[in-house]
Amino acid sequence: MTATTLTPPATGSAPATAGGSRFPTARLTLGQMRRSTGRLAAAGVAILISTAFVAATLLVGNIVTTTTYDQVAARYADADLVVSGADWNLTSADVEAARAVDGVAAADLERSFYTELTRGGKVVYQSIVPQASDPRLSPLELAEGAWPEGATDIALPGDVAERLGIAVGDTVSATRWIVDDEPTVDDEGGTWYDNQEITEKLTVTGLVADPYQAYALNGGMGVVSAATMEQWLADDSGPDSPPTSEAMVVALDEPGDPAAVEEAREALAAAVPAADDVKTTQEYAEGVVASLSGGRTSSSWCSSWPSPAWPSWSRAWSSRTPSRCSWPSGRARWPCCAASARTPASSTAACCSRPRSSA
């Protein structure tokens, strides 16, 4: 038998590999990449497009959020604090309580109304707010004429006046609804308050401007006197449903003073019976934007149904539709635009304040 002698490799030498390469896996990968250049390029382009799409989506989302915040915050003008009610329950009595607090210069409920304006066959469905008791509480400015004072006075956005073909001193017809003083009783004993449509002549006393686009999403805002707004809301709400609001804006004697703001904040929370929270305008605007970006709440389901403040054609359409809302009184009422689905500055009468028609 012949003996075989094995000689061990020298210390430190690299093992032999096929083709003499020390990195066979890398060499194989590079070879496959060279043979698949087209597919790799397509994959790279897809990744770039996907990345760009995600970045654009985030950018647009941030722009939309910022724009919405700017518009919401602009509605509070130079107010210092916002008092909110938990259940859309702030009343005129709460305003008087707030105005009596030391350090408070002015306070107004956030209210608005919706009316149909006509002139010479032209029709505009216009949102209306009351004139603020203090210029710091409203973003609107008087561009021409005078602020409304009487029960039949109104100031309109310049572009609305242009569409209607009217100027300061002209009249315009306004259509709104008034709830009956006495309830209607059906054969089954159910009751509701019916309503009547009225048309009245309003005199245009001035033209208003919205320099910060606070009401751009509403198509601009008309203005009536605070007393006129109170009466319109009372007529629209009915005898057993006094007008209420979700929020109140407050201006202080010492604006910008952190100590004064905190002191007034605590005093308002204690003095206003229906106050649920008192926030700075920045905090409140951030909360509104956050609620707008969230999902629908259980109560906001009603927002898909015509509101009492909607124009007559939508109310006539919905008058035969049963209410989807449940109420402690057990009475059938109009479907509504829920407070939780509205921005505070676009409030109308209390949610579902209008009973549905029996027609």
Side-chain angles (χ1 to χ4, degrees):
M1 179 178 295
T2 305
T4 302
T5 303
L6 298 177
T7 305
T11 303
S13 61
T17 59
S21 173
R22 298 178 60 184
F23 304 102
T25 303
R27 183 178 180 185
L28 178 61
T29 301
L30 291 173
Q32 290 177 339
M33 292 176 65
R34 283 194 294 268
R35 289 192 296 271
S36 306
T37 302
R39 284 181 293 178
L40 290 174
V45 171
I47 292 173
L48 288 175
I49 292 176
S50 300
T51 303
F53 177 78
V54 171
T57 300
L58 293 174
L59 179 61
V60 171
N62 287 336
I63 292 174
V64 170
T65 300
T66 301
T67 302
T68 303
Y69 172 81
D70 290 343
Q71 288 188 337
V72 171
R75 297 185 179 192
Y76 307 119
D78 293 324
D80 298 289
L81 294 170
V82 179
V83 180
S84 59
D87 299 307
W88 201 265
N89 58 349
L90 293 175
T91 66
S92 299
D94 296 304
V95 176
E96 295 305 320
R99 290 172 178 171
V101 171
D102 289 340
V104 171
D108 287 340
L109 288 176
E110 286 192 320
R111 286 179 165 171
S112 70
F113 199 80
Y114 199 79
T115 188
E116 177 184 296
L117 302 178
T118 58
R119 167 77 179 221
K122 299 176 181 178
V123 180
V124 172
Y125 298 108
Q126 184 61 48
S127 297
I128 310 288
V129 294
Q131 184 183 357
S133 61
D134 189 296
R136 290 178 290 172
L137 301 181
S138 173
L140 300 176
E141 297 179 357
L142 187 66
E144 182 181 342
W147 291 111
E149 295 181 356
T152 58
D153 292 345
I154 190 171
L156 293 175
D159 60 335
V160 172
E162 184 177 353
R163 288 201 300 272
L164 292 172
I166 57 179
V168 173
D170 292 338
T171 60
V172 62
S173 297
T175 301
R176 60 188 180 91
W177 296 75
I178 295 181
V179 177
D180 293 343
D181 292 332
E182 298 296 331
T184 299
V185 182
D186 61 23
D187 295 337
E188 298 178 354
T191 62
W192 66 86
Y193 286 89
D194 208 343
N195 49 75
Q196 306 297 326
E197 184 181 64
I198 66 166
T199 300
E200 53 195 345
K201 292 286 187 180
L202 302 180
T203 300
V204 179
T205 63
L207 302 180
V208 297
D210 184 4
Y212 303 105
Q213 300 297 302
Y215 299 112
L217 295 178
N218 300 80
M221 278 287 180
V223 179
V224 296
S225 69
T228 298
M229 175 61 68
E230 188 74 15
Q231 184 60 56
W232 284 8
L233 290 175
D235 291 342
D236 188 75
S237 297
D240 67 340
S241 302
T244 58
S245 181
E246 186 183 28
M248 178 199 314
V249 287
V250 177
L252 302 180
D253 290 328
E254 300 180 39
D257 183 347
V261 170
E262 287 304 315
E263 183 177 350
R265 191 180 212 165
E266 295 177 2
L268 286 167
V272 178
D276 176 63
D277 200 0
V278 182
K279 297 181 178 180
T280 65
T281 53
Q282 179 180 355
E283 292 169 345
Y284 193 74
E286 290 173 350
V288 171
V289 173
S291 67
L292 291 175
S293 62
R296 301 173 97 185
T297 64
S298 58
S299 61
S300 68
W301 190 94
C302 295
S303 65
S304 61
W305 295 91
S307 164
W310 285 21
S312 57
W313 54 266
S314 68
R315 294 160 63 121
W317 170 81
S318 63
S319 63
R320 299 178 184 273
T321 305
S323 173
R324 264 58 173 183
C325 302
S326 298
W327 299 96
S329 64
R331 284 188 284 177
R333 289 182 174 268
W334 273 74
C336 66
C337 181
S340 59
R342 290 196 298 253
T343 58
S346 64
S347 63
T348 58
C351 179
C352 286
S353 63
R354 166 76 62 232
R356 67 179 175 87
S357 167
S358 60

mmCIF file of all heavy atoms in Angstrom, residues 36-86:
data_model
loop_
_atom_site.group_PDB
_atom_site.id
_atom_site.type_symbol
_atom_site.label_atom_id
_atom_site.label_comp_id
_atom_site.label_asym_id
_atom_site.label_seq_id
_atom_site.Cartn_x
_atom_site.Cartn_y
_atom_site.Cartn_z
ATOM 1 N N SER A 36 -30.173 42.565 -15.535
ATOM 2 C CA SER A 36 -31.544 43.012 -15.247
ATOM 3 C C SER A 36 -31.618 44.530 -15.088
ATOM 4 O O SER A 36 -32.375 45.048 -14.267
ATOM 5 C CB SER A 36 -32.057 42.344 -13.962
ATOM 6 O OG SER A 36 -31.934 40.944 -14.029
ATOM 7 N N THR A 37 -30.836 45.240 -15.863
ATOM 8 C CA THR A 37 -30.787 46.702 -15.728
ATOM 9 C C THR A 37 -32.160 47.341 -15.925
ATOM 10 O O THR A 37 -32.560 48.246 -15.197
ATOM 11 C CB THR A 37 -29.795 47.287 -16.741
ATOM 12 O OG1 THR A 37 -28.514 46.702 -16.532
ATOM 13 C CG2 THR A 37 -29.702 48.803 -16.593
ATOM 14 N N GLY A 38 -32.919 46.871 -16.905
ATOM 15 C CA GLY A 38 -34.235 47.452 -17.196
ATOM 16 C C GLY A 38 -35.210 47.306 -16.036
ATOM 17 O O GLY A 38 -35.907 48.253 -15.652
ATOM 18 N N ARG A 39 -35.245 46.083 -15.475
ATOM 19 C CA ARG A 39 -36.161 45.861 -14.366
ATOM 20 C C ARG A 39 -35.770 46.673 -13.131
ATOM 21 O O ARG A 39 -36.614 47.200 -12.418
ATOM 22 C CB ARG A 39 -36.196 44.373 -14.024
ATOM 23 C CG ARG A 39 -37.002 43.545 -15.021
ATOM 24 C CD ARG A 39 -37.028 42.098 -14.645
ATOM 25 N NE ARG A 39 -35.708 41.492 -14.771
ATOM 26 C CZ ARG A 39 -35.441 40.223 -14.467
ATOM 27 N NH1 ARG A 39 -36.402 39.458 -13.980
ATOM 28 N NH2 ARG A 39 -34.235 39.733 -14.619
ATOM 29 N N LEU A 40 -34.484 46.774 -12.868
ATOM 30 C CA LEU A 40 -34.022 47.563 -11.721
ATOM 31 C C LEU A 40 -34.349 49.045 -11.900
ATOM 32 O O LEU A 40 -34.731 49.734 -10.951
ATOM 33 C CB LEU A 40 -32.526 47.365 -11.525
ATOM 34 C CG LEU A 40 -32.085 45.982 -11.016
ATOM 35 C CD1 LEU A 40 -30.566 45.885 -11.008
ATOM 36 C CD2 LEU A 40 -32.636 45.733 -9.614
ATOM 37 N N ALA A 41 -34.187 49.530 -13.131
ATOM 38 C CA ALA A 41 -34.516 50.937 -13.395
ATOM 39 C C ALA A 41 -35.998 51.197 -13.169
ATOM 40 O O ALA A 41 -36.394 52.210 -12.580
ATOM 41 C CB ALA A 41 -34.116 51.305 -14.820
ATOM 42 N N ALA A 42 -36.855 50.266 -13.627
ATOM 43 C CA ALA A 42 -38.300 50.422 -13.431
ATOM 44 C C ALA A 42 -38.656 50.419 -11.947
ATOM 45 O O ALA A 42 -39.496 51.206 -11.480
ATOM 46 C CB ALA A 42 -39.043 49.302 -14.154
ATOM 47 N N ALA A 43 -38.025 49.525 -11.188
ATOM 48 C CA ALA A 43 -38.277 49.472 -9.754
ATOM 49 C C ALA A 43 -37.839 50.765 -9.071
ATOM 50 O O ALA A 43 -38.517 51.277 -8.176
ATOM 51 C CB ALA A 43 -37.559 48.277 -9.139
ATOM 52 N N GLY A 44 -36.694 51.294 -9.497
ATOM 53 C CA GLY A 44 -36.215 52.544 -8.925
ATOM 54 C C GLY A 44 -37.160 53.700 -9.201
ATOM 55 O O GLY A 44 -37.436 54.527 -8.326
ATOM 56 N N VAL A 45 -37.672 53.757 -10.438
ATOM 57 C CA VAL A 45 -38.621 54.816 -10.791
ATOM 58 C C VAL A 45 -39.895 54.683 -9.952
ATOM 59 O O VAL A 45 -40.442 55.680 -9.463
ATOM 60 C CB VAL A 45 -38.952 54.757 -12.296
ATOM 61 C CG1 VAL A 45 -40.107 55.704 -12.625
ATOM 62 C CG2 VAL A 45 -37.725 55.122 -13.123
ATOM 63 N N ALA A 46 -40.373 53.443 -9.760
ATOM 64 C CA ALA A 46 -41.571 53.232 -8.956
ATOM 65 C C ALA A 46 -41.364 53.694 -7.514
ATOM 66 O O ALA A 46 -42.251 54.302 -6.903
ATOM 67 C CB ALA A 46 -41.954 51.754 -8.986
ATOM 68 N N ILE A 47 -40.185 53.407 -6.981
ATOM 69 C CA ILE A 47 -39.881 53.840 -5.609
ATOM 70 C C ILE A 47 -39.855 55.353 -5.525
ATOM 71 O O ILE A 47 -40.377 55.961 -4.581
ATOM 72 C CB ILE A 47 -38.545 53.236 -5.151
ATOM 73 C CG1 ILE A 47 -38.676 51.707 -4.998
ATOM 74 C CG2 ILE A 47 -38.090 53.863 -3.836
ATOM 75 C CD1 ILE A 47 -37.378 51.000 -4.722
ATOM 76 N N LEU A 48 -39.248 56.002 -6.528
ATOM 77 C CA LEU A 48 -39.185 57.466 -6.534
ATOM 78 C C LEU A 48 -40.578 58.073 -6.613
ATOM 79 O O LEU A 48 -40.888 59.042 -5.906
ATOM 80 C CB LEU A 48 -38.330 57.947 -7.703
ATOM 81 C CG LEU A 48 -36.818 57.727 -7.579
ATOM 82 C CD1 LEU A 48 -36.121 58.134 -8.871
ATOM 83 C CD2 LEU A 48 -36.259 58.519 -6.404
ATOM 84 N N ILE A 49 -41.423 57.507 -7.489
ATOM 85 C CA ILE A 49 -42.785 58.028 -7.632
ATOM 86 C C ILE A 49 -43.566 57.852 -6.333
ATOM 87 O O ILE A 49 -44.273 58.757 -5.885
ATOM 88 C CB ILE A 49 -43.504 57.322 -8.797
ATOM 89 C CG1 ILE A 49 -42.855 57.722 -10.124
ATOM 90 C CG2 ILE A 49 -44.995 57.666 -8.805
ATOM 91 C CD1 ILE A 49 -43.430 56.993 -11.320
ATOM 92 N N SER A 50 -43.436 56.684 -5.710
ATOM 93 C CA SER A 50 -44.138 56.431 -4.454
ATOM 94 C C SER A 50 -43.693 57.395 -3.364
ATOM 95 O O SER A 50 -44.507 57.945 -2.616
ATOM 96 C CB SER A 50 -43.906 54.988 -4.000
ATOM 97 O OG SER A 50 -44.385 54.070 -4.958
ATOM 98 N N THR A 51 -42.381 57.602 -3.282
ATOM 99 C CA THR A 51 -41.844 58.523 -2.286
ATOM 100 C C THR A 51 -42.336 59.943 -2.524
ATOM 101 O O THR A 51 -42.729 60.651 -1.592
ATOM 102 C CB THR A 51 -40.312 58.493 -2.302
ATOM 103 O OG1 THR A 51 -39.860 57.152 -2.085
ATOM 104 C CG2 THR A 51 -39.735 59.402 -1.236
ATOM 105 N N ALA A 52 -42.336 60.353 -3.809
ATOM 106 C CA ALA A 52 -42.810 61.699 -4.149
ATOM 107 C C ALA A 52 -44.295 61.853 -3.824
ATOM 108 O O ALA A 52 -44.738 62.902 -3.337
ATOM 109 C CB ALA A 52 -42.562 61.982 -5.621
ATOM 110 N N PHE A 53 -45.082 60.793 -4.073
ATOM 111 C CA PHE A 53 -46.513 60.841 -3.795
ATOM 112 C C PHE A 53 -46.764 60.998 -2.296
ATOM 113 O O PHE A 53 -47.604 61.808 -1.872
ATOM 114 C CB PHE A 53 -47.191 59.569 -4.308
ATOM 115 C CG PHE A 53 -48.654 59.499 -4.004
ATOM 116 C CD1 PHE A 53 -49.572 60.219 -4.746
ATOM 117 C CD2 PHE A 53 -49.119 58.716 -2.953
ATOM 118 C CE1 PHE A 53 -50.932 60.167 -4.466
ATOM 119 C CE2 PHE A 53 -50.468 58.659 -2.657
ATOM 120 C CZ PHE A 53 -51.381 59.380 -3.418
ATOM 121 N N VAL A 54 -46.052 60.218 -1.486
ATOM 122 C CA VAL A 54 -46.224 60.313 -0.034
ATOM 123 C C VAL A 54 -45.829 61.702 0.459
ATOM 124 O O VAL A 54 -46.525 62.318 1.276
ATOM 125 C CB VAL A 54 -45.396 59.229 0.678
ATOM 126 C CG1 VAL A 54 -45.395 59.455 2.188
ATOM 127 C CG2 VAL A 54 -45.936 57.837 0.351
ATOM 128 N N ALA A 55 -44.704 62.209 -0.067
ATOM 129 C CA ALA A 55 -44.252 63.542 0.349
ATOM 130 C C ALA A 55 -45.256 64.610 -0.051
ATOM 131 O O ALA A 55 -45.561 65.525 0.729
ATOM 132 C CB ALA A 55 -42.885 63.836 -0.271
ATOM 133 N N ALA A 56 -45.803 64.501 -1.288
ATOM 134 C CA ALA A 56 -46.785 65.484 -1.751
ATOM 135 C C ALA A 56 -48.059 65.416 -0.921
ATOM 136 O O ALA A 56 -48.662 66.446 -0.595
ATOM 137 C CB ALA A 56 -47.102 65.248 -3.223
ATOM 138 N N THR A 57 -48.471 64.193 -0.582
ATOM 139 C CA THR A 57 -49.681 64.031 0.225
ATOM 140 C C THR A 57 -49.512 64.684 1.588
ATOM 141 O O THR A 57 -50.405 65.393 2.077
ATOM 142 C CB THR A 57 -50.009 62.536 0.401
ATOM 143 O OG1 THR A 57 -50.209 61.936 -0.883
ATOM 144 C CG2 THR A 57 -51.263 62.349 1.252
ATOM 145 N N LEU A 58 -48.374 64.451 2.214
ATOM 146 C CA LEU A 58 -48.117 65.060 3.519
ATOM 147 C C LEU A 58 -48.068 66.575 3.417
ATOM 148 O O LEU A 58 -48.584 67.294 4.275
ATOM 149 C CB LEU A 58 -46.805 64.516 4.099
ATOM 150 C CG LEU A 58 -46.802 63.029 4.474
ATOM 151 C CD1 LEU A 58 -45.406 62.599 4.905
ATOM 152 C CD2 LEU A 58 -47.812 62.745 5.585
ATOM 153 N N LEU A 59 -47.442 67.075 2.322
ATOM 154 C CA LEU A 59 -47.320 68.517 2.131
ATOM 155 C C LEU A 59 -48.692 69.150 1.935
ATOM 156 O O LEU A 59 -49.019 70.169 2.551
ATOM 157 C CB LEU A 59 -46.427 68.807 0.933
ATOM 158 C CG LEU A 59 -46.217 70.297 0.586
ATOM 159 C CD1 LEU A 59 -45.557 71.014 1.748
ATOM 160 C CD2 LEU A 59 -45.370 70.438 -0.678
ATOM 161 N N VAL A 60 -49.503 68.538 1.059
ATOM 162 C CA VAL A 60 -50.845 69.067 0.813
ATOM 163 C C VAL A 60 -51.680 69.011 2.083
ATOM 164 O O VAL A 60 -52.421 69.946 2.405
ATOM 165 C CB VAL A 60 -51.524 68.286 -0.330
ATOM 166 C CG1 VAL A 60 -52.997 68.675 -0.432
ATOM 167 C CG2 VAL A 60 -50.818 68.539 -1.648
ATOM 168 N N GLY A 61 -51.560 67.896 2.828
ATOM 169 C CA GLY A 61 -52.299 67.789 4.084
ATOM 170 C C GLY A 61 -51.930 68.887 5.055
ATOM 171 O O GLY A 61 -52.803 69.483 5.713
ATOM 172 N N ASN A 62 -50.646 69.193 5.147
ATOM 173 C CA ASN A 62 -50.199 70.261 6.039
ATOM 174 C C ASN A 62 -50.710 71.617 5.570
ATOM 175 O O ASN A 62 -51.092 72.467 6.382
ATOM 176 C CB ASN A 62 -48.666 70.280 6.108
ATOM 177 C CG ASN A 62 -48.114 69.110 6.908
ATOM 178 O OD1 ASN A 62 -48.800 68.556 7.752
ATOM 179 N ND2 ASN A 62 -46.878 68.731 6.626
ATOM 180 N N ILE A 63 -50.719 71.820 4.240
ATOM 181 C CA ILE A 63 -51.209 73.088 3.701
ATOM 182 C C ILE A 63 -52.693 73.253 3.994
ATOM 183 O O ILE A 63 -53.148 74.324 4.409
ATOM 184 C CB ILE A 63 -50.937 73.164 2.187
ATOM 185 C CG1 ILE A 63 -49.429 73.265 1.917
ATOM 186 C CG2 ILE A 63 -51.664 74.357 1.562
ATOM 187 C CD1 ILE A 63 -49.065 73.208 0.453
ATOM 188 N N VAL A 64 -53.462 72.179 3.774
ATOM 189 C CA VAL A 64 -54.906 72.237 4.038
ATOM 190 C C VAL A 64 -55.169 72.511 5.514
ATOM 191 O O VAL A 64 -56.015 73.341 5.873
ATOM 192 C CB VAL A 64 -55.586 70.929 3.600
ATOM 193 C CG1 VAL A 64 -57.028 70.885 4.089
ATOM 194 C CG2 VAL A 64 -55.534 70.779 2.090
ATOM 195 N N THR A 65 -54.442 71.818 6.389
ATOM 196 C CA THR A 65 -54.625 72.014 7.829
ATOM 197 C C THR A 65 -54.281 73.435 8.230
ATOM 198 O O THR A 65 -55.005 74.077 9.001
ATOM 199 C CB THR A 65 -53.761 71.019 8.613
ATOM 200 O OG1 THR A 65 -54.142 69.680 8.265
ATOM 201 C CG2 THR A 65 -53.939 71.218 10.111
ATOM 202 N N THR A 66 -53.173 73.938 7.695
ATOM 203 C CA THR A 66 -52.751 75.305 8.025
ATOM 204 C C THR A 66 -53.754 76.321 7.520
ATOM 205 O O THR A 66 -54.111 77.278 8.225
ATOM 206 C CB THR A 66 -51.366 75.588 7.421
ATOM 207 O OG1 THR A 66 -50.418 74.647 7.938
ATOM 208 C CG2 THR A 66 -50.914 77.004 7.760
ATOM 209 N N THR A 67 -54.236 76.125 6.289
ATOM 210 C CA THR A 67 -55.212 77.045 5.720
ATOM 211 C C THR A 67 -56.506 77.032 6.523
ATOM 212 O O THR A 67 -57.091 78.086 6.812
ATOM 213 C CB THR A 67 -55.513 76.678 4.257
ATOM 214 O OG1 THR A 67 -54.293 76.707 3.502
ATOM 215 C CG2 THR A 67 -56.503 77.650 3.639
ATOM 216 N N THR A 68 -56.951 75.832 6.888
ATOM 217 C CA THR A 68 -58.168 75.724 7.694
ATOM 218 C C THR A 68 -57.996 76.407 9.035
ATOM 219 O O THR A 68 -58.884 77.133 9.505
ATOM 220 C CB THR A 68 -58.538 74.245 7.905
ATOM 221 O OG1 THR A 68 -58.685 73.606 6.638
ATOM 222 C CG2 THR A 68 -59.840 74.117 8.688
ATOM 223 N N TYR A 69 -56.847 76.183 9.669
ATOM 224 C CA TYR A 69 -56.591 76.828 10.963
ATOM 225 C C TYR A 69 -56.604 78.348 10.821
ATOM 226 O O TYR A 69 -57.200 79.056 11.643
ATOM 227 C CB TYR A 69 -55.249 76.377 11.528
ATOM 228 C CG TYR A 69 -54.852 77.164 12.755
ATOM 229 C CD1 TYR A 69 -55.378 76.849 14.010
ATOM 230 C CD2 TYR A 69 -53.978 78.244 12.655
ATOM 231 C CE1 TYR A 69 -55.053 77.592 15.127
ATOM 232 C CE2 TYR A 69 -53.646 78.993 13.774
ATOM 233 C CZ TYR A 69 -54.186 78.659 15.012
ATOM 234 O OH TYR A 69 -53.868 79.408 16.114
ATOM 235 N N ASP A 70 -55.963 78.848 9.774
ATOM 236 C CA ASP A 70 -55.917 80.301 9.581
ATOM 237 C C ASP A 70 -57.317 80.885 9.434
ATOM 238 O O ASP A 70 -57.622 81.953 9.986
ATOM 239 C CB ASP A 70 -55.072 80.645 8.354
ATOM 240 C CG ASP A 70 -53.590 80.379 8.580
ATOM 241 O OD1 ASP A 70 -53.181 80.248 9.747
ATOM 242 O OD2 ASP A 70 -52.848 80.281 7.582
ATOM 243 N N GLN A 71 -58.178 80.190 8.671
ATOM 244 C CA GLN A 71 -59.528 80.689 8.470
ATOM 245 C C GLN A 71 -60.349 80.614 9.754
ATOM 246 O O GLN A 71 -61.107 81.535 10.064
ATOM 247 C CB GLN A 71 -60.223 79.912 7.353
ATOM 248 C CG GLN A 71 -59.687 80.237 5.966
ATOM 249 C CD GLN A 71 -60.508 79.598 4.868
ATOM 250 O OE1 GLN A 71 -61.193 78.614 5.086
ATOM 251 N NE2 GLN A 71 -60.429 80.151 3.671
ATOM 252 N N VAL A 72 -60.203 79.513 10.481
ATOM 253 C CA VAL A 72 -60.944 79.377 11.736
ATOM 254 C C VAL A 72 -60.464 80.421 12.749
ATOM 255 O O VAL A 72 -61.271 81.101 13.392
ATOM 256 C CB VAL A 72 -60.793 77.958 12.309
ATOM 257 C CG1 VAL A 72 -61.374 77.880 13.721
ATOM 258 C CG2 VAL A 72 -61.479 76.940 11.406
ATOM 259 N N ALA A 73 -59.149 80.543 12.891
ATOM 260 C CA ALA A 73 -58.596 81.493 13.863
ATOM 261 C C ALA A 73 -58.965 82.930 13.509
ATOM 262 O O ALA A 73 -59.176 83.764 14.412
ATOM 263 C CB ALA A 73 -57.079 81.334 13.937
ATOM 264 N N ALA A 74 -59.062 83.229 12.203
ATOM 265 C CA ALA A 74 -59.387 84.591 11.777
ATOM 266 C C ALA A 74 -60.772 85.011 12.250
ATOM 267 O O ALA A 74 -61.033 86.205 12.443
ATOM 268 C CB ALA A 74 -59.294 84.699 10.258
ATOM 269 N N ARG A 75 -61.661 84.063 12.454
ATOM 270 C CA ARG A 75 -63.022 84.403 12.879
ATOM 271 C C ARG A 75 -63.062 85.011 14.278
ATOM 272 O O ARG A 75 -64.019 85.696 14.634
ATOM 273 C CB ARG A 75 -63.909 83.156 12.835
ATOM 274 C CG ARG A 75 -64.064 82.603 11.432
ATOM 275 C CD ARG A 75 -65.035 81.443 11.384
ATOM 276 N NE ARG A 75 -65.180 80.950 10.021
ATOM 277 C CZ ARG A 75 -66.115 80.104 9.626
ATOM 278 N NH1 ARG A 75 -66.985 79.636 10.514
ATOM 279 N NH2 ARG A 75 -66.189 79.698 8.373
ATOM 280 N N TYR A 76 -62.032 84.746 15.055
ATOM 281 C CA TYR A 76 -62.019 85.266 16.422
ATOM 282 C C TYR A 76 -61.318 86.613 16.501
ATOM 283 O O TYR A 76 -61.203 87.170 17.604
ATOM 284 C CB TYR A 76 -61.373 84.243 17.351
ATOM 285 C CG TYR A 76 -62.019 82.878 17.210
ATOM 286 C CD1 TYR A 76 -61.291 81.776 16.795
ATOM 287 C CD2 TYR A 76 -63.379 82.720 17.444
ATOM 288 C CE1 TYR A 76 -61.897 80.541 16.632
ATOM 289 C CE2 TYR A 76 -63.991 81.494 17.284
ATOM 290 C CZ TYR A 76 -63.247 80.405 16.877
ATOM 291 O OH TYR A 76 -63.850 79.191 16.703
ATOM 292 N N ALA A 77 -60.864 87.095 15.355
ATOM 293 C CA ALA A 77 -60.275 88.433 15.269
ATOM 294 C C ALA A 77 -59.277 88.670 16.397
ATOM 295 O O ALA A 77 -58.345 87.894 16.571
ATOM 296 C CB ALA A 77 -61.379 89.489 15.259
ATOM 297 N N ASP A 78 -59.495 89.720 17.187
ATOM 298 C CA ASP A 78 -58.575 90.056 18.277
ATOM 299 C C ASP A 78 -59.143 89.692 19.643
ATOM 300 O O ASP A 78 -58.743 90.267 20.669
ATOM 301 C CB ASP A 78 -58.244 91.551 18.240
ATOM 302 C CG ASP A 78 -57.436 91.920 17.015
ATOM 303 O OD1 ASP A 78 -56.596 91.105 16.598
ATOM 304 O OD2 ASP A 78 -57.666 93.011 16.452
ATOM 305 N N ALA A 79 -60.055 88.742 19.684
ATOM 306 C CA ALA A 79 -60.581 88.267 20.966
ATOM 307 C C ALA A 79 -59.471 87.554 21.738
ATOM 308 O O ALA A 79 -58.500 87.069 21.157
ATOM 309 C CB ALA A 79 -61.761 87.320 20.737
ATOM 310 N N ASP A 80 -59.630 87.495 23.044
ATOM 311 C CA ASP A 80 -58.617 86.869 23.890
ATOM 312 C C ASP A 80 -59.006 85.464 24.336
ATOM 313 O O ASP A 80 -58.151 84.584 24.440
ATOM 314 C CB ASP A 80 -58.373 87.741 25.132
ATOM 315 C CG ASP A 80 -57.833 89.114 24.768
ATOM 316 O OD1 ASP A 80 -56.672 89.202 24.349
ATOM 317 O OD2 ASP A 80 -58.590 90.097 24.901
ATOM 318 N N LEU A 81 -60.296 85.259 24.600
ATOM 319 C CA LEU A 81 -60.754 83.979 25.127
ATOM 320 C C LEU A 81 -62.031 83.538 24.430
ATOM 321 O O LEU A 81 -62.778 84.355 23.884
ATOM 322 C CB LEU A 81 -61.006 84.086 26.635
ATOM 323 C CG LEU A 81 -59.794 84.348 27.529
ATOM 324 C CD1 LEU A 81 -60.241 84.666 28.950
ATOM 325 C CD2 LEU A 81 -58.842 83.151 27.525
ATOM 326 N N VAL A 82 -62.266 82.238 24.455
ATOM 327 C CA VAL A 82 -63.508 81.673 23.942
ATOM 328 C C VAL A 82 -64.108 80.800 25.042
ATOM 329 O O VAL A 82 -63.459 79.881 25.541
ATOM 330 C CB VAL A 82 -63.269 80.826 22.676
ATOM 331 C CG1 VAL A 82 -64.590 80.228 22.194
ATOM 332 C CG2 VAL A 82 -62.630 81.669 21.577
ATOM 333 N N VAL A 83 -65.339 81.110 25.416
ATOM 334 C CA VAL A 83 -66.077 80.304 26.396
ATOM 335 C C VAL A 83 -66.971 79.353 25.620
ATOM 336 O O VAL A 83 -67.749 79.781 24.757
ATOM 337 C CB VAL A 83 -66.930 81.191 27.318
ATOM 338 C CG1 VAL A 83 -67.685 80.334 28.334
ATOM 339 C CG2 VAL A 83 -66.055 82.219 28.021
ATOM 340 N N SER A 84 -66.875 78.068 25.887
ATOM 341 C CA SER A 84 -67.686 77.086 25.169
ATOM 342 C C SER A 84 -68.672 76.410 26.107
ATOM 343 O O SER A 84 -68.405 76.226 27.290
ATOM 344 C CB SER A 84 -66.790 76.024 24.512
ATOM 345 O OG SER A 84 -65.997 75.359 25.476
ATOM 346 N N GLY A 85 -69.830 76.045 25.553
ATOM 347 C CA GLY A 85 -70.842 75.307 26.294
ATOM 348 C C GLY A 85 -70.837 73.858 25.862
ATOM 349 O O GLY A 85 -70.612 73.549 24.692
ATOM 350 N N ALA A 86 -71.112 72.971 26.778
ATOM 351 C CA ALA A 86 -71.005 71.542 26.477
ATOM 352 C C ALA A 86 -72.083 71.073 25.517
ATOM 353 O O ALA A 86 -71.845 70.230 24.665
ATOM 354 C CB ALA A 86 -71.081 70.736 27.771
#
